[in-house]
Amino acid sequence: MAFIQAVLDGLMIGGVYAVISIGLTLVFGVMGIVNFAQAEFLTLGMFVAYFAWKFLGLDPLIGSFLSFVVIFGLGVVVQMTLIQRVLNAPPVAQIFVTVGLLIVIENLTLIVFGSDFHSVTTSYQTSTLRLGPLFIGVPYLAAFLMALLSAAALWLFTNKTWYGRAMRATAQDPMAANLMGINADRMRQIAFGLGVGMTAFGGAVILPYFTVHPTVGHQFVVLMFTVVVLGGLGSVAGAVVGGFAVGVIQSVSTLFFPIQLQNLVLFIVFLTVLAVRPTGLIGAAR
């Protein structure tokens, strides 16, 4: 029974890992650029939800929609002013731009918000559901359901709307997309905004059980890259599979090893999978 409980706990947190990582793989899939500042947008999304709770009284789960809208807009501006300029530049220039963006965002949040830790208080924060012998924390369940909701909305957008299909066409062949009347630059702006907005949304929904501070992104950045590489860099479906896999591996490994070694087990599995399938579990789908 302990094993089933561990798998259940892993699925709950894995769903959130998937959502915060989808943005990273979406940006790479459409633009071919690795955004090293992705985790900083998670931090900004958490701060938006925190201040929406503090000053407007919005529950973080409701505030997550505000986080998405605000960070989506910010992402479009960042893409137009910074990322667009290095799309055709050597990879090292793209790395310097996104790493520089990471440093700027982190230091600006430190200057503006200080180094204090912030948390919210909700009515369900310490509630637990009992399913026979199994237990599920309500904040974890709520974050998991919100993650599924956002992933389903993204799937509907990319597969059932003109903008989604145009974005996928831009990812496959930007020149052909332009010849078909698609504004490839506009699609890249939407893709980058969606990518960072999804990560901000994922950050906001975990606020009921996580504190926010300017360097909180450090706790997720390695996990995000692990998820997308394990699933297949550039594949949204791969990010979902990778997110659940990472969550379950972390949770189940605590049954056999000290919790401090959960990431050691994760990276052993990670390296083993890449040795057998270098393109990840699903493979790149650019």
Side-chain angles (χ1 to χ4, degrees), residues 221-256:
V221 62
V222 175
L223 284 175
M224 290 167 65
F225 278 96
T226 303
V227 166
V228 298
V229 175
L230 184 63
L233 191 56
S235 168
V236 172
V240 174
V241 173
F244 282 119
V246 168
V248 171
I249 291 169
Q250 277 189 327
S251 182
V252 171
S253 65
T254 59
L255 295 177
F256 307 100

Side-chain angles (χ1 to χ4, degrees), residues 156-177:
L156 287 174
F157 174 80
T158 55
N159 289 279
K160 302 297 181 182
T161 69
W162 182 88
Y163 279 101
R165 287 191 288 268
M167 201 165 65
R168 290 162 54 204
T170 302
Q172 292 175 3
D173 192 332
M175 184 176 293

Side-chain angles (χ1 to χ4, degrees), residues 14 22 74 81 87 122 132 137 147 172 181 183 189 202-203 245 250 252 259 265 283:
I22 281 175
L74 177 62
T81 54
L87 282 182
T122 63
Q172 292 175 3
N183 187 332
Q189 293 162 13
Q250 277 189 327
V252 171
I259 193 169
V265 176

Side-chain angles (χ1 to χ4, degrees), residues 166-198:
M167 201 165 65
R168 290 162 54 204
T170 302
Q172 292 175 3
D173 192 332
M175 184 176 293
N178 271 325
L179 292 174
M180 296 301 293
I182 295 172
N183 187 332
D185 289 342
R186 179 63 55 83
M187 293 304 114
R188 294 189 186 102
Q189 293 162 13
I190 293 174
F192 195 85
L194 269 179
V196 296
M198 288 288 290

Side-chain angles (χ1 to χ4, degrees), residues 30 50 65 82 115 171 182 217 226 258 260:
V30 176
Y50 170 74
F65 293 98
L82 292 177
S115 59
I182 295 172
T226 303
Q260 296 88 344

